[in-house]
Amino acid sequence: FFLALLSITFVLDFAFGVTMTRELARCSLTPHLVDEARDLTRSLEYFYLAIGVLIAGAILLAAPWIARHWLILHSLSFSSVTKAIAMMGVAIGFQAPLGMYMGGLYGLDRQPVLNVAQFLLSLLRFSGAGLAMWIFGATVQVFFFWQVGFSLFQTLTMRHLLWRYIPVGARSARLSFSALRGTFHFTSRVTGTAIASFVVNQLDKIVLSKFMPLSVLGSYQIASQIGTGAKLLATLIETVVMPRMTIYAAQDDGEGLKALYHESCQMVALITLPFTAAIAFFAKPLMMLWIGNESVVAVASPIAVLLTLGSACNALARVPAGLTLAKGWSTFGLYESVISGLVFVPLLITFVHYHGAMGAASAWLLYNGCCLLIDMPIIHAYMMPGELKAWVLWDALVPAVVSF
């Protein structure tokens, strides 16, 4: 449930993280925009401070209602769950600006530094939580106390890295409404896309948390952690190559953009599709090796197969989606996400009503498969004319055949 709530920050990460990536990448081409980029960074920091307080406050106030009226509790007490949800809210509030700082580092082409920092922070997040529970007791409260402190530390670390590497301007950075207005057209559409994507990507957990016991939600979340692996890998590649695609688009370098586009799509396929094939054929033994609980594996493994196949379809569309943002066509993502959400929401609720957790996973696969078939011809017709056949054959079909 914490992971589902934490995804609230995805809306902010995607909307303003993408804006930061694009603006700081453009800044690398035009040094006279450094002061404007610094002002945008400072202004977004103030914005995120307010948003973090609002998120934390809203979850704190709603914690008793969520524990009493939303979650189906069996072994956990109402008091412990209420306190845990309250701490979730504080942790999420601290983590709200994280995507903006990471997006800025991507835009500055500081991926190696960011990768090392993310690795060390991830190691600290989970090993530290385990150590805290070993010392102070394996309770929900201890786990979330650690998450609160770590979220603040992680955000401050990323903030330090961004301001260390952002170019020095002619003056100090300041709050600037004009800098925010300058990106409003792009950011507003990306924000709409992020909100609709959040609904589509997290609605399955939210619906299951309402209609199913927490044990079922836990099994589904385990399967989801595996299933979204393909999508996560593809999203990382999209995030890394998007600044370079933005530069090629700004320079009107069609050949460079085309070569980078196909190389990136092939990289996504060669990284994600073998993983997808392995889960599709061997989910149960792999999960048994990892978890060691036969009853959990029996429930989670077929769900993991469907979620992984759906995420693979989503993964293949990540670089093409990044191309639309690099070229500034944010309207496409907004319309696509809103229309998809209007279709997916009733589809998901219907499938969950009749088939439970397996229905949610089936809806995810059906939704992503249809999006891939519909979106790719449209994106290539407008953004990369004449390249659809090459994408189908070399960027998707050949790697899929080899993998499976």
Side-chain angles (χ1 to χ4, degrees), residues 2 12 41 73 124 145 157 183 237 281 285 312 340 346 371 388:
F2 174 56
L12 300 171
T41 304
L73 308 181
L124 181 61
F145 268 124
T157 300
T183 61
I237 294 173
F281 289 114
S340 298
C371 283
L388 178 61

Side-chain angles (χ1 to χ4, degrees), residues 81-203:
V81 171
T82 302
K83 292 176 182 176
I85 294 172
M87 286 187 283
M88 290 180 200
V90 178
I92 292 169
F94 283 148
Q95 199 162 320
L98 191 61
M100 182 198 81
Y101 295 130
M102 293 172 61
L105 288 167
Y106 277 122
L108 293 171
D109 207 18
R110 296 290 179 175
Q111 289 90 342
V113 172
L114 180 57
N115 290 342
V116 172
Q118 284 185 286
F119 169 74
L120 294 176
L121 288 168
S122 296
L123 189 65
L124 181 61
R125 173 187 285 273
F126 296 109
S127 62
L131 182 62
M133 295 172 75
W134 179 65
I135 295 173
F136 299 105
T139 66
V140 173
Q141 287 85 355
V142 171
F143 176 81
F144 283 111
F145 268 124
W146 173 261
Q147 296 302 321
V148 168
F150 178 82
S151 294
L152 177 60
F153 174 76
Q154 180 177 355
T155 298
L156 291 176
T157 300
M158 289 300 179
R159 180 185 185 277
H160 169 75
L161 289 176
L162 176 60
W163 283 107
R164 178 182 177 183
Y165 288 108
I166 198 169
V168 177
R171 54 172 173 78
S172 300
R174 63 194 179 194
L175 175 63
S176 171
F177 291 103
S178 62
L180 293 174
R181 283 194 298 269
T183 61
F184 178 78
H185 181 82
F186 179 82
T187 305
S188 60
R189 283 156 178 76
V190 176
T191 301
T193 303
I195 293 172
S197 298
F198 166 76
V199 172
V200 168
N201 283 281
Q202 299 303 323
L203 189 66

Side-chain angles (χ1 to χ4, degrees), residues 55-393:
I55 291 174
I59 296 177
L60 280 168
L61 292 174
W65 183 90
I66 294 172
R68 189 180 302 279
H69 299 291
W70 187 269
L71 299 178
I72 301 174
L73 308 181
H74 283 168
S75 58
L76 295 174
S77 69
F78 168 77
S79 175
S80 66
V81 171
T82 302
K83 292 176 182 176
I85 294 172
M87 286 187 283
M88 290 180 200
V90 178
I92 292 169
F94 283 148
Q95 199 162 320
L98 191 61
M100 182 198 81
Y101 295 130
M102 293 172 61
L105 288 167
Y106 277 122
L108 293 171
D109 207 18
R110 296 290 179 175
Q111 289 90 342
V113 172
L114 180 57
N115 290 342
V116 172
Q118 284 185 286
F119 169 74
L120 294 176
L121 288 168
S122 296
L123 189 65
L124 181 61
R125 173 187 285 273
F126 296 109
S127 62
L131 182 62
M133 295 172 75
W134 179 65
I135 295 173
F136 299 105
T139 66
V140 173
Q141 287 85 355
V142 171
F143 176 81
F144 283 111
F145 268 124
W146 173 261
Q147 296 302 321
V148 168
F150 178 82
S151 294
L152 177 60
F153 174 76
Q154 180 177 355
T155 298
L156 291 176
T157 300
M158 289 300 179
R159 180 185 185 277
H160 169 75
L161 289 176
L162 176 60
W163 283 107
R164 178 182 177 183
Y165 288 108
I166 198 169
V168 177
R171 54 172 173 78
S172 300
R174 63 194 179 194
L175 175 63
S176 171
F177 291 103
S178 62
L180 293 174
R181 283 194 298 269
T183 61
F184 178 78
H185 181 82
F186 179 82
T187 305
S188 60
R189 283 156 178 76
V190 176
T191 301
T193 303
I195 293 172
S197 298
F198 166 76
V199 172
V200 168
N201 283 281
Q202 299 303 323
L203 189 66
D204 52 351
K205 291 91 169 175
I206 295 171
V207 170
L208 286 172
S209 71
K210 174 62 177 175
F211 295 109
M212 298 287 171
L214 281 177
S215 58
V216 175
L217 179 63
S219 296
Y220 187 89
Q221 188 67 53
I222 290 172
S224 179
Q225 290 293 97
I226 297 172
T228 55
K231 178 184 171 185
L232 174 63
L233 291 168
T235 302
L236 293 174
I237 294 173
E238 174 202 359
T239 307
V240 168
V241 301
M242 185 189 151
R244 184 59 52 185
M245 289 196 295
T246 300
I247 292 173
Y248 281 141
Q251 294 175 333
D252 200 23
D253 184 355
E255 290 302 314
L257 180 60
K258 184 192 302 183
L260 176 63
Y261 173 76
H262 285 298
E263 288 172 3
S264 303
C265 289
Q266 290 162 15
M267 185 183 297
V268 167
L270 291 171
I271 288 178
T272 60
L273 293 182
F275 167 82
T276 302
I279 298 300
F281 289 114
F282 307 111
K284 190 169 184 178
L286 286 173
M287 292 185 70
M288 193 65 194
L289 181 66
W290 175 33
I291 299 171
N293 187 316
E294 191 168 354
S295 61
V296 172
V297 171
V299 175
S301 57
I303 297 173
V305 171
L306 296 176
L307 292 176
T308 302
L309 291 171
S311 293
C313 295
N314 186 287
L316 293 176
R318 296 298 354 121
V319 172
L323 176 65
T324 65
L325 295 173
K327 285 196 167 187
W329 192 28
S330 54
T331 307
F332 171 78
L334 175 60
Y335 289 161
E336 190 269 349
S337 296
V338 171
I339 294 171
S340 298
L342 292 175
V343 174
F344 181 68
V345 170
L347 176 72
L348 174 66
I349 293 174
T350 302
F351 276 40
V352 169
H353 177 73
Y354 287 105
H355 303 290
M358 281 294 291
S362 300
W364 173 251
L365 173 57
L366 181 62
Y367 159 74
N368 281 288
C370 291
C371 283
L372 187 68
L373 293 175
I374 295 170
D375 290 355
M376 290 306 99
I378 297 174
I379 291 175
H380 285 90
Y382 286 93
M383 298 284 100
M384 196 67 68
E387 297 300 315
L388 178 61
K389 289 183 180 179
W391 180 87
V392 171
L393 180 61

